[in-house]
Amino acid sequence: MRIGIDARSFTKKQFTGIARSIYEILNVWMTEYPDNEYYLFSSKPITFPKALPNNWHIVDTPWIIDSGKLWSIFKLPNEIKRLKLDVYWGSNYVLPRCVHGTDYYVTVYDLALFKFKGIGTMSNTLRVKTFTKSACKKARRVITISKATALDVKEILDIPDDKIVVSYCGGLPSDDQMPIFDQGKVNPILLFKERFILFLSTIEPRKNVENIIHAYEKYIDRYSTEEKLVLAGKRGWKCDSIYEAIEKSKYKDRIILPGFISDDDKAYLMSHAQMFVYPSLYEGFGIPILEAFSYNLPVITAAVSSMPEVGGDAAYYVSNPQDVDEMAALFKRVEDLTITERETLNKKMKSQLAKFSWKKNAIEMMEIFNGKG
């Protein structure tokens, strides 16, 4: 089978989110399906994280006009036709013009941009809102990463049930090995002795970071605890109010902001945190929850969108992510876990983590392409 893949997510230097999800699937395919021919398409040069086998090809020659949209409309369909692809996977919400003889599939990760205002860049919001519905209409199957997203695709985009399929993301990397940190490479700002609460994701309104800060303040006020709060991640869209909240906090000296972190930093933080807090307003899946489980790290998240699917009975939930009192109380609940309770929780985390894997995700994707899903 000849498979084309939208690889434009690999043009960015920071390898997170959608790019990481696509990579984990492709990494499995390299081992499990070596007889296919794969073509990675991009309107700009890409950097793939590992060496590619001979049956993998990068097709990233720019078009005459430096426009990803025009490239997708005029250049990409000609390449699909020239290479006689059996399948084209729109890995990031959109699809090019249809080419006879090629089956199209599209992945929709979430519809947050349809549900919330002001949570993304203008260009990405315009791209997703303009082209996602038409991509879903022309696709043979619409692939979502949770039942919550599948329901949104059905209700918001008016796509029938029988066209939508769910294939969950994984947690552990596709080689089943979480990074082991080298303390000599860890950012010195993180090498403090106090216990701490960890948040790790993009610093942006959708992640509910301001309410984490306010809940943390209430937690300190009520219980006079010494924990720090680590908010790790790159600056996101419309995040100024979050940093203003930190600056105004009477506990700002206890709030650590390392910015975008390395794999060593991440492994160190996950290995040393007291709890992981991820009460996002909306998530298509929630990989960080599973990553925390892999370190036996208790998770506080929100009982909205896909998070209960991911966390199962192994996480603690705020019923309303805006309720800072409830969140502060959960901080205390996790802090006071007994040894027996932690052992029980660790078993639940292990059981929940076993339900998800990138290998399972990648195999399901290939079965969908083969008409079995």
Side-chain angles (χ1 to χ4, degrees):
M1 186 158 56
R2 300 168 70 83
I3 301 173
I5 300 145
D6 184 344
R8 284 176 287 178
S9 296
F10 299 117
T11 59
K12 300 176 182 179
K13 292 182 180 180
Q14 294 178 342
F15 184 58
T16 59
I18 290 174
R20 190 240 167 133
S21 297
I22 298 168
Y23 167 75
E24 296 291 359
I25 291 170
L26 303 188
N27 193 37
V28 174
W29 286 353
M30 287 181 198
T31 302
E32 297 294 321
Y33 303 100
D35 295 332
N36 296 326
E37 291 287 327
Y38 302 90
Y39 299 87
L40 304 178
F41 291 99
S42 177
S43 57
K44 296 180 180 179
I46 67 173
T47 302
F48 199 74
K50 66 184 294 185
L52 293 169
N54 293 333
N55 60 323
W56 287 73
H57 316 279
I58 295 177
V59 187
D60 61 358
T61 304
W63 195 45
I64 190 171
I65 300 175
D66 185 18
S67 168
K69 293 182 178 63
L70 293 177
W71 170 85
S72 181
I73 294 171
F74 296 104
K75 177 72 171 178
L76 182 54
N78 290 335
E79 290 295 302
I80 292 172
K81 184 176 181 179
R82 178 180 68 85
L83 294 168
K84 299 179 181 180
L85 299 184
D86 299 296
V87 165
Y88 180 83
W89 175 31
S91 62
N92 194 356
Y93 292 90
V94 298
L95 287 172
R97 175 168 46 85
C98 289
V99 173
H100 180 71
T102 301
D103 289 330
Y104 282 23
Y105 299 84
V106 67
T107 293
V108 175
Y109 298 88
D110 66 64
L111 291 182
L113 293 173
F114 288 82
K115 296 171 76 74
F116 301 96
K117 293 182 179 179
I119 62 167
T121 63
M122 185 178 296
S123 61
N124 192 50
T125 299
L126 181 63
R127 179 184 74 94
V128 171
K129 285 193 170 184
T130 303
F131 298 110
T132 301
K133 184 170 183 176
S134 62
C136 292
K137 295 289 186 181
K138 73 177 68 170
R140 186 181 180 91
R141 288 286 185 275
V142 179
I143 303 159
T144 64
I145 59 174
S146 66
K147 293 178 182 177
T149 298
L151 182 61
D152 286 342
V153 168
K154 176 185 176 181
E155 294 183 345
I156 296 174
L157 302 182
D158 194 28
I159 304 300
D161 278 330
D162 59 4
K163 197 173 186 178
I164 306 168
V165 60
V166 176
S167 183
Y168 286 118
C169 297
L172 289 168
S174 48
D175 58 9
D176 292 329
Q177 297 294 323
M178 293 304 293
I180 299 174
F181 65 89
D182 179 345
Q183 189 157 325
K185 296 180 180 179
V186 173
N187 187 339
I189 195 176
L190 303 176
L191 299 176
F192 51 83
K193 295 181 180 179
E194 295 89 347
R195 284 148 49 107
F196 63 94
I197 298 167
L198 174 64
F199 165 85
L200 172 56
S201 192
T202 305
I203 309 296
E204 61 186 8
R206 178 160 69 110
K207 303 299 181 178
N208 203 24
V209 183
E210 279 193 64
N211 282 324
I212 294 174
I213 296 165
H214 297 320
Y216 173 71
E217 292 168 336
K218 287 182 177 289
Y219 173 59
I220 301 297
D221 286 342
R222 290 176 184 172
Y223 306 110
S224 301
T225 182
E226 297 296 320
E227 278 92 347
K228 290 182 179 290
L229 174 63
V230 177
L231 302 174
K234 66 179 181 179
R235 292 179 70 102
W237 180 248
K238 291 190 175 180
C239 62
D240 289 349
S241 63
I242 297 171
Y243 288 91
E244 288 172 6
I246 295 169
E247 187 60 31
K248 292 177 181 177
S249 175
K250 59 184 174 180
Y251 299 116
K252 67 179 181 180
D253 292 339
R254 298 191 194 183
I255 300 175
I256 310 299
L257 295 165
F260 183 79
I261 59 174
S262 68
D263 286 343
D264 284 287
D265 293 339
K266 180 177 178 179
Y268 178 85
L269 290 170
M270 288 284 191
S271 299
H272 288 80
Q274 183 185 5
M275 65 188 83
F276 182 72
V277 56
Y278 195 70
S280 181
L281 301 178
Y282 180 96
E283 290 293 329
F285 185 72
I287 293 172
I289 295 171
L290 296 181
E291 291 179 326
F293 285 172
S294 69
Y295 287 95
N296 287 331
L297 183 59
V299 172
I300 296 171
T301 186
V304 297
S305 63
S306 65
M307 269 97 63
E309 292 179 62
V310 179
D313 65 352
Y316 294 89
Y317 297 95
V318 288
S319 56
N320 177 2
Q322 307 279 6
D323 189 336
V324 295
D325 290 297
E326 184 183 9
M327 201 184 304
L330 280 179
F331 289 169
K332 181 61 174 174
R333 172 73 182 93
V334 172
E335 178 191 358
D336 291 343
L337 285 172
T338 65
I339 293 176
T340 300
E341 287 175 328
R342 284 186 176 273
E343 289 175 347
T344 299
L345 183 62
N346 290 347
K347 291 178 181 178
K348 290 181 177 180
M349 291 183 199
K350 185 176 181 180
S351 176
Q352 190 67 12
L353 191 60
K355 298 176 183 178
F356 306 94
S357 80
W358 291 112
K359 183 174 182 179
K360 181 174 182 288
N361 182 200
I363 291 172
E364 287 174 349
M365 291 282 290
M366 193 60 71
E367 289 178 344
I368 292 167
F369 294 168
N370 279 307
K372 299 177 182 178

